[in-house]
Amino acid sequence: MVQTHTTQATVTVAAQPATVYAFLTDPQRFQRWMGPGSSVGGQPGAAVTLRYPNGDVASGQVVDAKPNERVTFTYGYESGARLAPGSTRITFELRDHPNGTTVGLTHDGLPSEEEARNHLMGWRHYLGMLGVAVAEEELGGLARSAAETYVQAWNEENPGARAGLIERCWDANATLRDAMSYVEGRDHLNAHISAAQMFAPGARLEQTGNVD
């Protein structure tokens, strides 16, 4: 019996399981983290294609897809080099986490320890790309809105109106630390902005780039 090897990686991403599952089964979303030309289907039997920047192409088929919980597909290189088509299997397991979703990846059937190490490095990179993509989809709009409201709060001269803006963008227990200040909570931030406006009359905060 030929011995095979398994590699595993885990990442916690800032999105709910349903959002993560969509990025594992929806062709357009799949491309956003796996790269142009990659594709996937959401049902068992659907084709999977992964196109890498170096020109390698891996393909397989979905063998299991349990909504918001698990996706499994076969994996191998179309050229047959290193891994024959369909010779290995990749499983994504999704678990609820207080900060979003824990994504566990298992890649089974690798022919050597070297291939296991190499694929672990690759999957860690792509899991990071997945984390960025799902967070942007789920939180990007909220982050942009919060940043814009925060800028408005710093430019608002009326303490009452400013308090309303701060409530929309600043957690009740949030802190601000920089070289000039240490602020805890909304009321303290409101007072801190008032003091800043008093000592720097006419100064305004301006957002000059996108929220990253």
Side-chain angles (χ1 to χ4, degrees), residues 4-155:
T4 60
H5 299 263
T6 298
T7 193
Q8 295 179 310
T10 303
V11 66
T12 299
V13 301
Q16 298 303 306
T19 303
V20 181
Y21 185 80
F23 275 80
L24 298 174
T25 55
D26 175 75
Q28 298 301 318
R29 290 183 173 90
F30 192 70
Q31 282 196 57
R32 284 164 57 186
W33 66 282
M34 274 305 310
S38 298
S39 63
V40 70
Q43 300 295 328
V48 179
T49 301
L50 298 88
R51 296 186 181 275
Y52 295 104
N54 67 355
D56 286 343
V57 179
S59 61
Q61 284 189 328
V62 176
V63 296
D64 184 27
K66 187 173 183 180
N68 308 334
E69 293 186 19
R70 183 175 59 255
V71 175
T72 301
F73 56 81
T74 58
Y75 177 99
Y77 296 110
E78 291 188 353
S79 66
R82 296 170 56 196
L83 305 179
S87 63
T88 69
R89 180 172 293 203
I90 297 167
T91 298
F92 295 88
E93 295 275 359
L94 312 182
R95 300 187 300 277
D96 282 313
H97 186 278
N99 293 328
T101 303
T102 296
V103 182
L105 177 145
T106 302
H107 193 164
D108 291 310
L110 294 160
S112 67
E113 291 185 2
E114 180 182 6
E115 288 293 347
R117 288 194 300 269
N118 290 341
H119 281 81
L120 176 60
M121 287 190 292
W123 283 121
R124 282 175 172 166
H125 166 74
Y126 280 102
L127 286 175
M129 298 291 286
L130 174 64
V132 170
V134 297
E136 170 61 24
E137 170 129 332
E138 188 152 306
L139 302 176
L142 295 174
R144 286 188 289 272
S145 176
E148 291 167 1
T149 304
Y150 181 74
V151 169
Q152 292 176 35
W154 272 87
N155 295 331

